[in-house]
Amino acid sequence: MPSIAARSPDNLVESILFGHEKGAFTGATERHTGKFVEASTGTLFLDEVGELPLATQVKLLRALQEGTVEAVGGRKPVKIDVRIISATNRKLLDLVKNGQFREDLFYRLHVLPLTIPPLRMRREDIPHLLRHFLARFGAEENRPITGITGEAMAQLTQLEWPGNIRQLENSVYRAVVMSEGDQLGLADFPLAAAPAMPEARDPHSEPLVVGSAFHPIAPAMISGNEIPIVPMPSTGTLPMLTDAGEVRPLEEMESEIIRFAISHYRGQMSEVARRLKIGRSTLYRKLDEAAADPTAGGVDEAG
């Protein structure tokens, strides 16, 4: 699956995406077809779609709507059939309001919203990711490291990982290349061995995926609300009435129950879903709805 980072220099993005003709600009010594044409009948991953220059957004919208692209310096549009999966860690609606992202392109992409929760809200994935990266980097660096000690695994699972999977990946890579033993221990991970320090969190640190397609696949988008874990008492009662003596809305009480469960099970989302007897996808959907509703009262940031 070809991919492109939208943070490439502005004058290169269109050429990379849509191609260019020989002599179209200084340095264009040969013809280039572009990623859209290369990915035709397949999938193209566009990273950081929120960083696209406005001029490129216009051409991207046209490509999505008409299923054709025109190379820089070209005179004839080329028909394409490409599914696009793109990612952003920024809130595109905020960019739309600030005039930095086209509203029509946003709604062209925003059809099937999904949310990727931050790594600290799916800690059950961390051991699997650690083993995956260890096997990968061990093979790449020709290091016969057999595993990670239980102490290190337990400590790494409890870290906040504000940089999410990229931070975890880099930590394992450093440990593999610096370690002299046949197992990675706590000392090989300075972040885990150091005393915990308060960290400023970026509420949009996890990449968010946006997908769009020409036929036959419908556009999709993963938007960017993350739901921080809110510490709650381990025991207590759930108030049924408002201060005015009226029964509280069901959605409001449901939100409190979910937040209590997340806190009680320390962010183990699979366990939360199992105990609440709902699917993980349903759990994330309810969290996303609570984040989008300022009246829900349940998505405060926690340290």
Side-chain angles (χ1 to χ4, degrees):
M1 179 174 68
S3 65
I4 174 179
R7 282 177 174 168
S8 302
D10 293 1
N11 60 340
L12 294 180
V13 174
E14 288 191 23
S15 173
I16 295 172
L17 280 175
F18 310 115
H20 64 255
E21 297 294 333
K22 181 178 180 181
F25 51 84
T26 303
T29 57
E30 58 183 22
R31 183 175 181 272
H32 174 61
T33 57
K35 296 298 183 181
F36 268 92
V37 174
E38 290 177 9
S40 193
T41 71
T43 302
L44 175 64
F45 176 65
L46 179 62
D47 197 9
E48 300 292 359
V49 69
E51 306 293 335
L52 281 174
L54 285 171
T56 307
Q57 293 178 31
V58 174
K59 295 192 71 171
L60 176 59
L61 177 63
R62 186 180 304 123
L64 294 173
Q65 290 178 335
E66 301 176 4
T68 61
V69 296
E70 189 171 326
V72 177
R75 300 181 179 180
K76 182 186 298 184
V78 178
K79 190 72 176 176
I80 52 172
D81 180 9
V82 182
R83 175 175 59 186
I84 296 176
I85 300 176
S86 46
T88 180
N89 61 7
R90 303 181 66 182
K91 288 190 175 182
L92 293 185
L93 271 178
D94 290 344
L95 298 182
V96 170
K97 293 175 182 177
N98 294 331
Q100 297 173 281
F101 198 85
R102 292 185 61 93
E103 185 176 16
D104 46 6
L105 177 58
F106 170 80
Y107 286 112
R108 182 63 182 82
L109 293 170
H110 192 277
V111 175
L112 297 175
L114 297 171
T115 299
I116 298 178
L119 189 57
R120 65 179 177 273
M121 291 187 65
R122 43 192 174 99
R123 297 182 187 275
E124 67 274 15
D125 292 343
I126 293 177
H128 302 290
L129 290 167
L130 287 169
R131 286 188 284 267
H132 166 75
F133 289 132
L134 175 58
R136 172 186 156 190
F137 293 131
E140 290 178 359
E141 302 298 325
N142 195 26
R143 297 296 313 279
I145 300 176
T146 59
I148 301 176
T149 66
E151 179 189 23
M153 183 75 77
Q155 186 68 19
L156 292 169
T157 302
Q158 294 305 313
L159 293 181
E160 292 296 286
W161 299 109
N164 293 291
I165 293 177
R166 288 190 180 101
Q167 183 185 12
L168 178 67
E169 179 182 12
N170 290 336
S171 296
V172 177
Y173 177 73
R174 181 194 182 282
V176 168
V177 298
M178 298 296 290
S179 176
E180 298 180 356
D182 58 359
Q183 268 198 327
L184 298 181
L186 194 59
D188 295 308
F189 297 92
L191 182 66
M197 296 291 290
E199 295 177 338
R201 293 181 183 169
D202 177 0
H204 316 302
S205 54
E206 185 76 3
L208 310 166
V209 177
V210 196
S212 182
F214 310 125
H215 53 278
I217 303 174
M221 178 174 180
I222 295 185
S223 62
N225 291 326
E226 85 169 36
I227 315 298
I229 300 173
V230 179
M232 299 188 72
S234 58
T235 60
T237 59
L238 179 67
M240 304 295 290
L241 300 177
T242 67
D243 293 339
E246 303 295 338
V247 174
R248 297 176 63 198
L250 179 61
E251 293 83 357
E252 188 176 294
M253 291 188 287
E254 181 183 69
S255 176
E256 287 193 14
I257 293 171
I258 291 175
R259 291 188 295 115
F260 177 87
I262 292 174
S263 177
H264 183 74
Y265 294 108
R266 298 181 178 273
Q268 301 292 324
M269 303 304 275
S270 293
E271 183 68 9
V272 171
R274 187 170 73 86
R275 295 294 181 179
L276 294 178
K277 298 187 184 301
I278 59 177
R280 281 187 63 173
S281 60
T282 301
L283 175 60
Y284 289 132
R285 176 177 56 80
K286 290 180 179 295
L287 289 171
D288 198 34
E289 290 172 352
D293 181 5
T295 65
V299 287
D300 299 327
E301 185 70 53

